[in-house]
Amino acid sequence: NAGVMQNPRHLVRRRGQEARLRCSPMKGHSHVYWYRQLPEEGLKFMVYLQKENIIDESGMPKERFSAEFPKEGPSILRIQQVVRGDSAAYFCASSLPDRGRETQYFGPGTRLLVL
Amino acid sequence: SQQGEEDPQALSIQEGENATMNCSYKTSINNLQWYRQNSGRGLVHLILIRSNEREKHSGRLRVTLDTSKKSSSLLITASRAADTASYFCATAPGGTYKYIFGTGTRLKVLA
C-alpha cells in the first residue's frame, strides 16, 4: 500500500519559469492538502482539494499559484513565473473524508529551488 | 506566540536519556497531533490526542494534553540516535482541516 507520492523530489527553476509539482494521494484518499515549508520553519497550509473541487485556497497566494485535483491523475500545484522567494519545500498530504480528515498522511515533499 | 509553538527550539541529549518537548496553542481544538521530520524528508505522523484525553502512549512516546493551559508535551523515553529529527505539533482550530504547525523542536540524540 503505497503512501503519498510526490514528484519530482527536487526541482530547480530559473526566475520567470513555471514549476509543476505533482502529488498522488494514498489509495482510497479523496482529499488532498498542500503545505509549504520555508527553511527552519513549520509547514504552512496552502490549499485543500477534493476531486475536481477546490475546497479552501485561503493559504495560497492569489497570484501565480494554482492547484487542481482532476478526476483522473495526480493533484498538481502550479507556480507560474517563479521568484526566489518561492524556494521552499512543498508537501502534499492526503486523507479520508469526514472524520478521516483528522489524520493527514504526508508525502516526502518537493524541494523547489529558484535560481 | 504562534498557534502550535514548540519549545525548546533545539534539544541535545545522550542516547538512553528521556527527551521532553512542549507545544502551546491559542485557540480551542478538537485534537492535537505530533509529527516527526527527519532532515530533508517528509513528515511522519506519530500520535493524535483528542481534546477529551489527557494522556496517550504509543511505544516509547507519551503525550499529554492540558486544554486549560492550551499546552501539550511529548516525551520520548530511552532515546536512540535514530530519534534525531525535528518534532512538530499540529492543531486545527475549531476542528477544521487546516493544520497549523509550529516551528518545531530539533532533537539531537548523541550516541
Side-chain angles (χ1 to χ4, degrees):
Chain A
N1 185 15
V4 178
M5 299 175 68
Q6 290 187 250
N7 69 80
R9 295 290 304 276
H10 300 272
L11 183 61
V12 180
R13 285 286 178 267
R14 297 194 180 281
R15 281 179 296 168
Q17 291 184 320
E18 179 180 287
R20 278 188 179 237
L21 288 62
R22 293 175 187 76
C23 168
S24 296
M26 282 181 71
K27 189 175 181 180
H29 286 191
S30 55
H31 295 235
V32 165
Y33 315 80
W34 285 93
Y35 292 82
R36 177 164 63 177
Q37 184 181 33
L38 295 171
E40 307 299 318
E41 293 189 10
L43 278 69
K44 299 285 193 292
F45 169 83
M46 297 181 73
V47 61
Y48 163 36
L49 309 104
Q50 294 177 26
K51 286 281 186 182
E52 301 183 278
N53 280 310
I54 296 175
I55 307 302
D56 184 338
E57 56 184 348
S58 59
M60 199 158 66
K62 296 279 187 287
E63 297 180 358
R64 303 187 298 108
F65 284 73
S66 63
E68 63 176 12
F69 189 15
K71 189 176 180 181
E72 301 290 339
S75 175
I76 307 282
L77 178 67
R78 184 181 174 208
I79 311 173
Q80 295 177 290
Q81 299 175 317
V82 295
V83 301
R84 289 219 173 107
D86 296 333
S87 295
Y90 291 83
F91 290 94
C92 166
S94 72
S95 77
L96 293 167
D98 304 317
R99 193 79 184 267
R101 296 186 305 181
E102 282 182 335
T103 301
Q104 298 177 13
Y105 296 85
F106 283 81
T110 292
R111 278 148 190 84
L112 172 66
L113 176 62
V114 180
L115 302 176
Chain B
S1 63
Q2 300 176 27
Q3 180 88 351
E5 190 168 284
E6 296 91 343
D7 84 87
Q9 291 188 340
L11 181 60
S12 187
I13 59 174
Q14 295 291 328
E15 205 166 29
E17 294 181 336
N18 295 342
T20 300
M21 48 207 95
N22 305 294
C23 166
S24 60
Y25 58 92
K26 286 187 169 181
T27 63
S28 64
I29 59 171
N30 286 356
N31 66 70
L32 183 145
Q33 307 193 46
W34 285 90
Y35 286 84
R36 183 185 73 226
Q37 184 180 36
N38 290 84
S39 181
R41 310 290 288 274
L43 275 76
V44 174
H45 183 262
L46 295 176
I47 198 163
L48 179 154
I49 185 166
R50 299 193 186 286
S51 58
N52 61 352
E53 297 176 309
R54 291 295 166 261
E55 189 171 309
K56 203 161 183 180
H57 297 253
S58 177
R60 294 184 295 113
L61 306 180
R62 174 178 163 247
V63 169
T64 62
L65 179 64
D66 186 336
T67 52
S68 66
K69 294 181 180 177
K70 291 188 168 56
S71 68
S72 173
S73 68
L74 171 66
L75 168 68
I76 304 174
T77 60
S79 63
R80 305 166 183 167
D83 294 328
T84 295
S86 291
Y87 291 82
F88 296 90
C89 70
T91 56
T96 70
Y97 43 78
K98 287 195 286 194
Y99 278 95
I100 299 175
F101 290 78
T103 53
T105 292
R106 284 175 289 287
L107 173 66
K108 187 168 186 179
V109 180
L110 304 169

